Amino acid sequence: MSITDTDTVSWNPKALDEILSNDEGRPVLFTNARILTMDPLIGAMVGADILFVGSLIVGVGPGIVTAAEDDNAIVVDCTGMTIVPAVVDTIALAGGRGRRSEYVATLTPGNSTDFLVVPDELADDVPSAVATLLSRPEQVRALVAAGRPVLWDGTDAAGRATAPETGIPAAPDLTGSPRIGVWITKNDFLHQELTADGRYDETRGGRPHAYEGRYWIDGDRIDYLDDLGFWAYGEFQGDELHHAGYVMKLG
C-alpha cells in the first residue's frame, strides 16, 4: 500500500511532506534517537542525531539539532526510536572485519544515507531491527535509501523506487550508442564486439567466437550472459572497458 494522503500518516507527517517535496537540497535531521552506527570508532549513541543532505550522511551524534533552525533543516523527531544501517554487514556482525575501513554500510559521515528507524523495543540490536523490517514491516517508522523514504509509518512512501522485474530482460536496441563496436586490449589479445542487438562476440588470441552471448548496459556497468550459461560483468571507465582483468578500448 502506498501513502497517497499523508494526513493518514501518524508518525511525523509534516516531516514526510517536507522530505518528499525537498527539491532545494535542504538538510534533513533525524533527532533524539538511539543510533547503532555499526562503526567501531563511533559505536552506539543515545539521544543522538543523524544529519544528511541528499544521499550523503554529513553528521552523526548528539547536539546537531542545535543548528537545525540555522540550517533550515527538516527535522524528524525520533523519540523512542532506534536507527540502524539498512544494509547489514553480516561479516562485521560476526567480528570478521580487521580494519574500520573495511566495514560496509555503517552510519558514518561520508557514507550513503541508508537507514532503518524502528521503535526501541523492537531493536535490541541491529539484527533484531532488521528482523522487524522483514517480519513486521508495519512497525517500521522509516526506511530511507539514498536520502529518500522507501517506507514511512509502515507503508510504502509516495514516489518510492520499485524493484526491477525479475527475469532476463529483452535486448534493447542500442543503435547509435557510443559503446557499440569492437573493444580491443592493448596487446591485441582480446577483441570484444558489442552489437546494437545486445549481443557480444569475443575473439581471444586469434581464436574467433571464443565466447558469445547477450549483454545489458546499466549506467557504466555491463552484464554478460554467455551462451554457455555463465554470467560475467564489466565496467566502463571513461574511454576504457574493464572486464575480467582486461582493459580494452574501442578499435
Side-chain angles (χ1 to χ4, degrees):
M1 180 174 63
S2 297
I3 296 173
T4 56
D5 181 355
T6 50
D7 290 339
T8 65
V9 176
S10 60
W11 189 75
N12 285 295
K14 182 175 182 292
L16 174 62
D17 284 339
E18 290 183 289
I19 294 171
L20 292 177
S21 61
N22 182 19
D23 297 323
E24 301 86 20
R26 292 174 63 191
V28 181
L29 181 75
F30 281 59
T31 186
N32 198 32
R34 172 174 170 253
I35 302 179
L36 308 181
T37 69
M38 285 298 296
D39 184 309
L41 176 62
I42 299 174
M45 295 171 286
V46 177
D49 312 325
I50 182 166
L51 177 69
F52 60 93
V53 178
S55 63
L56 192 68
I57 298 172
V58 296
V60 177
I64 303 176
V65 69
T66 57
E69 185 174 350
D70 295 339
D71 297 336
N72 191 30
I74 300 168
V75 178
V76 184
D77 181 13
C78 294
T79 301
M81 299 294 153
T82 293
I83 299 176
V84 304
V87 180
V88 180
D89 186 347
T90 56
I91 296 174
L93 284 172
R97 301 288 187 196
R99 296 167 58 89
R100 177 175 178 244
S101 60
E102 296 172 350
Y103 276 60
V104 176
T106 59
L107 298 182
T108 305
N111 283 358
S112 180
T113 308
D114 301 324
F115 63 83
L116 177 66
V117 183
V118 299
D120 288 342
E121 61 270 21
L122 300 176
D124 288 340
D125 50 27
V126 173
S128 60
V130 174
T132 299
L133 171 64
L134 298 177
S135 63
R136 303 171 64 184
E138 71 280 0
Q139 296 296 322
V140 170
R141 292 297 172 264
L143 175 62
V144 176
R148 299 294 296 177
V150 175
L151 296 178
W152 196 277
D153 204 18
T155 58
D156 291 348
R160 56 164 284 172
T162 55
E165 294 183 7
T166 57
I168 299 174
D173 180 3
L174 296 173
T175 301
S177 169
R179 289 167 171 170
I180 297 303
V182 180
W183 294 81
I184 305 171
T185 56
K186 185 176 181 179
N187 64 2
D188 205 41
F189 173 80
L190 178 65
H191 291 209
Q192 185 182 97
E193 182 179 9
L194 304 180
T195 58
D197 60 354
R199 295 281 302 175
Y200 70 90
D201 188 344
E202 284 190 6
T203 297
R204 288 175 172 247
R207 179 165 56 96
H209 315 305
Y211 292 109
E212 299 175 86
R214 302 170 63 183
Y215 73 89
W216 295 267
I217 296 175
D218 184 3
D220 289 330
R221 179 187 175 100
I222 178 170
D223 286 279
Y224 306 92
L225 174 56
D226 197 82
D227 289 344
L228 294 174
F230 67 83
W231 289 85
Y233 92 105
E235 183 178 16
F236 295 99
Q237 298 182 13
D239 63 349
E240 297 177 341
L241 172 55
H242 293 240
H243 163 66
Y246 296 100
V247 177
M248 297 169 278
K249 291 191 174 185
L250 272 174

